[in-house]
Amino acid sequence: MDSSETNGPRSGSSREPLELLRPNPPKERADAARNREKVLAAAARLFADKGVDAVSMDAIAADAGVGKGTLFRRFGDKSGLAVALLDAREHDLQERILSGPPPLGPGAPATARLTAFVDAYLTYLFAHLDLVRMSETASPGARHRIGAYRFWHRHVSILLAESHPHADPSPLSHALLASVSAETAGHLRQEYGEQRARQAIMTLTAAVTTA
């Protein structure tokens, strides 16, 4: 495993603090912080009531009581809002990976931790599918540029390197994570229902972890 793969979440008791993987945002002025919270609250409410696709940035700005320029400067577009709304949910899962109980957290064999991660990630994904899809498909390759994806990839790579020492963990991690993209998992859920979609992805994970 190359040196770049040794700086992320580790199995067992050796791990790097989450803050180094997910730096704290710069300090904001009080008014900017209030506007940010108003925008996120408005976006969450409108997305829940009307669906992500039906809500415009103009509607979010109006509901939040901020100017459109403020909204676009801060978040760029709806995909930027999606990333911000998902941040707390992703942070919770990251914390459980780094310091929660096994098998998701440290202390279990790598294969068990990998299975637990995919299962936990699917729960998160299906609960926020529209937002995750928007954040991942805003532009070509957007999914792989998201900080959270880099965290998932590093975590899975480390577990694969531990459980499959003769494999090439980085591309194998990308291949496995492709099965839990919002587009792929969402299509499986639409086509076959959530239970069958989850079962298919967990079967694929088992095949990887036991190969």
Side-chain angles (χ1 to χ4, degrees):
M1 182 170 58
D2 63 40
S3 60
S4 67
E5 294 298 344
T6 65
N7 297 322
R10 293 181 174 85
S11 305
S13 61
S14 175
R15 61 184 178 86
E16 182 173 330
L18 179 61
E19 289 75 16
L20 295 182
L21 294 170
R22 183 179 179 272
N24 292 325
K27 290 184 178 180
E28 297 177 295
R29 300 191 319 271
D31 59 336
R34 285 194 297 270
N35 283 340
R36 181 178 190 276
E37 291 306 312
K38 287 195 297 184
V39 166
L40 291 178
R45 181 170 56 252
L46 291 172
F47 288 160
D49 290 346
K50 300 181 179 181
V52 172
D53 291 338
V55 177
S56 68
M57 292 288 277
D58 287 355
I60 293 169
D63 192 275
V66 302
K68 289 188 290 184
T70 298
L71 180 60
F72 281 98
R73 281 193 302 271
R74 185 60 187 267
F75 297 100
D77 55 18
K78 283 202 294 185
S79 67
L81 271 170
V83 170
L85 285 169
L86 291 168
D87 185 65
R89 286 82 164 179
E90 292 165 344
H91 188 212
D92 174 69
L93 181 52
Q94 291 170 5
E95 289 280 12
R96 289 189 287 138
I97 287 169
L98 288 174
S99 57
L104 182 60
T111 53
R113 293 197 70 195
L114 185 57
T115 299
F117 164 70
V118 174
D119 186 56
Y121 186 83
L122 285 173
T123 298
Y124 153 78
L125 174 64
F126 286 141
H128 309 289
L129 185 62
D130 287 344
L131 286 175
V132 178
R133 181 185 286 116
M134 180 179 293
S135 72
E136 291 183 350
T137 60
S139 61
R143 182 185 193 222
H144 300 91
R145 294 191 295 271
I146 298 170
Y149 179 85
R150 294 194 294 271
F151 183 99
W152 314 137
H153 176 261
R154 184 170 294 177
H155 178 57
V156 172
S157 295
I158 290 167
L159 295 178
L160 288 172
E162 183 177 331
S163 61
H164 293 68
H166 301 296
D168 189 352
S170 184
L172 184 58
S173 175
H174 282 303
L176 180 58
L177 288 170
S179 69
V180 295
S181 71
E183 286 286 89
T184 298
H187 173 75
L188 289 174
R189 187 173 77 165
Q190 182 177 5
E191 189 78 11
Y192 303 107
E194 185 169 324
Q195 182 176 357
R196 290 179 68 190
R198 181 184 287 269
Q199 184 177 20
I201 294 168
M202 296 308 300
T203 299
L204 176 63
T205 302
V208 171
T209 57
T210 59

